[in-house]
Amino acid sequence: MTAAAAAPGVKETVDFWFDPVCPWAWMTSRWILETEKVRDIEVRWHVMSLAVLNEDADLPEDYRSLMDRAWGPVRVVIAAAEKHGQDIIGKLYTAIGTRVHPGGEKDLTVAVSQALEEVGLPAELIDYASSTEFDQKLRASHADGIDRVGQDFGTPVVAVGDTAFFGPVVTPAPKGEAAGKLWDGVVAVAQTPGFYELKRTRDADPQFD
């Protein structure tokens, strides 16, 4: 957010970068959608990729397997945006994430295929899960988000004007005015000159509802 607040009645654009496979990004995305209802903000969705972020990392075998599979959903989302417009990103993310996270669908191909049908997109977009055609666009979107906060972080990345931050990591996702109060606090600390980090150990898993 810039130093001057948005004019009354004018919604401020909030840019949100996500990877569909990340449960914590999912929790934060549900919070930001709640915040849209109680604050004058409008979310603009972007993809980032944990597979890109971790492609050169030395990872445990099970997490490397997840990263290999994580290419599929984010490739389909970026392909959908390229072919059908940026406005489809948020809808497709919600459809995929609902199946993967609260829905518990482990087969990402099934989750993405069903999500495409739900939002009215062509079924053949699933073919982009294994295609590198739009990887340059994917990497550019990823870099746009991660470069704002640094390579030490993952998803989600949230940006308002010239202020960007990772997180917040929260469970369950606050609703109503509680979501708005968290937004106010996060933006306040993010705007504080010299402020970098506020963190504690997580002792709960994502709580979906």
Side-chain angles (χ1 to χ4, degrees):
M1 186 177 293
T2 54
V10 177
K11 291 184 179 293
E12 188 140 29
T13 299
V14 175
D15 291 290
F16 190 107
W17 282 263
F18 66 91
D19 186 311
V21 304
C22 178
W24 292 106
W26 174 254
M27 299 303 303
T28 307
S29 72
R30 300 310 95 180
W31 159 71
I32 203 71
L33 286 174
E34 283 289 314
T35 304
E36 259 192 336
K37 301 174 184 177
V38 295
R39 295 294 183 270
D40 288 330
I41 67 168
E42 184 173 18
V43 181
R44 183 165 56 192
W45 302 95
H46 310 268
V47 293
M48 64 175 296
S49 172
L50 291 174
V52 171
L53 186 69
N54 290 289
E55 62 184 341
D56 296 322
D58 183 14
L59 302 173
E61 185 176 347
D62 57 344
Y63 195 67
R64 171 55 63 194
S65 175
L66 174 60
M67 291 301 96
D68 290 344
R69 292 184 290 116
W71 284 101
V74 77
R75 279 173 167 164
V76 172
V77 174
I78 200 76
E82 288 298 309
K83 289 179 170 292
H84 299 276
Q86 297 295 309
D87 288 346
I88 199 63
I89 295 177
K91 296 175 184 177
L92 184 54
Y93 175 37
T94 289
I96 295 171
T98 299
R99 288 165 170 79
V100 171
H101 302 300
E105 177 58 67
K106 302 299 184 184
D107 189 324
L108 296 178
T109 300
V110 169
V112 175
S113 295
Q114 291 178 350
L116 290 171
E117 181 179 5
E118 178 183 326
V119 301
L121 289 173
E124 56 266 26
L125 279 172
I126 193 63
D127 295 340
Y128 286 96
S130 56
S131 169
T132 61
E133 180 176 345
F134 293 113
D135 278 9
Q136 185 175 355
K137 296 280 188 180
L138 169 57
R139 289 177 183 275
S141 181
H142 171 86
D144 186 26
I146 205 68
D147 287 350
R148 298 171 189 242
V149 293
Q151 297 295 320
D152 295 335
F153 300 97
T155 177
V157 171
V158 180
V160 190
D162 55 8
T163 297
F165 49 87
F166 163 74
V169 176
V170 61
T171 185
K175 293 179 171 58
E177 185 57 23
K181 288 181 178 179
L182 177 57
W183 172 255
D184 297 339
V186 168
V187 171
V189 296
Q191 289 181 319
T192 301
F195 177 84
Y196 292 107
E197 190 169 357
L198 181 67
K199 191 173 183 179
R200 62 177 177 169
T201 300
R202 295 195 299 263
D203 59 4
D205 294 327
Q207 299 174 37
F208 308 122
D209 55 17

